[in-house]
Amino acid sequence: FQLQACGGGLVQSGGSLRLSCAASGFPLDYYAIGWFRQAPGKEREGVACIDNISGSTYYTDSVKGRFTISRDKAKNTVYLQMNNLKPEDTAVYHCAADLDINWSDSSIINFTRAPDAAWGQGTLVTVSS
């Protein structure tokens, strides 16, 4: 199944945006949810994810301390709050539920998706310098 991301836009360096990930017909809190991004000419990378059972979160190094992933069960939505945005954050952002999560003890160390997985609607984030 595919999820829909929204909330992107044009923002100046140092600004903030909050992305939303929504689904219809099934509860997102049954699944671990991840945010991915793909910048022009670059491979898609996993940015952040949140586990559905433990609530554990993971952030790629480049966004630690700036991005926060969270859930709102009542709204069936997962958010990505992005603060202190940088030009290198410019990308199309997608969210997804069918993740492959790698754990070490009780911590998430990385996450991916199957290479042939379909992607839902993404949202463009453009950060100007």
Side-chain angles (χ1 to χ4, degrees), residues 44-89:
R44 183 178 283 115
E45 66 169 336
V47 175
C49 74
I50 184 167
D51 183 53
N52 56 307
I53 298 175
S54 66
S56 295
T57 57
Y58 165 88
Y59 300 93
T60 194
D61 286 345
S62 62
V63 308
K64 284 180 181 177
R66 301 189 297 122
F67 290 12
T68 303
I69 189 170
S70 62
R71 295 179 182 269
D72 186 327
K73 182 177 178 178
K75 295 183 178 180
N76 199 31
T77 301
V78 172
Y79 300 103
L80 185 67
Q81 177 67 44
M82 306 186 298
N83 298 328
N84 190 22
L85 283 161
K86 303 177 180 181
E88 51 264 42
D89 295 317

Side-chain angles (χ1 to χ4, degrees), residues 107-128:
S107 297
I108 299 172
I109 56 174
N110 59 52
F111 69 102
T112 58
R113 291 187 78 204
D116 59 348
W119 295 90
Q121 174 185 305
T123 188
L124 176 62
V125 172
T126 304
V127 185
S128 61

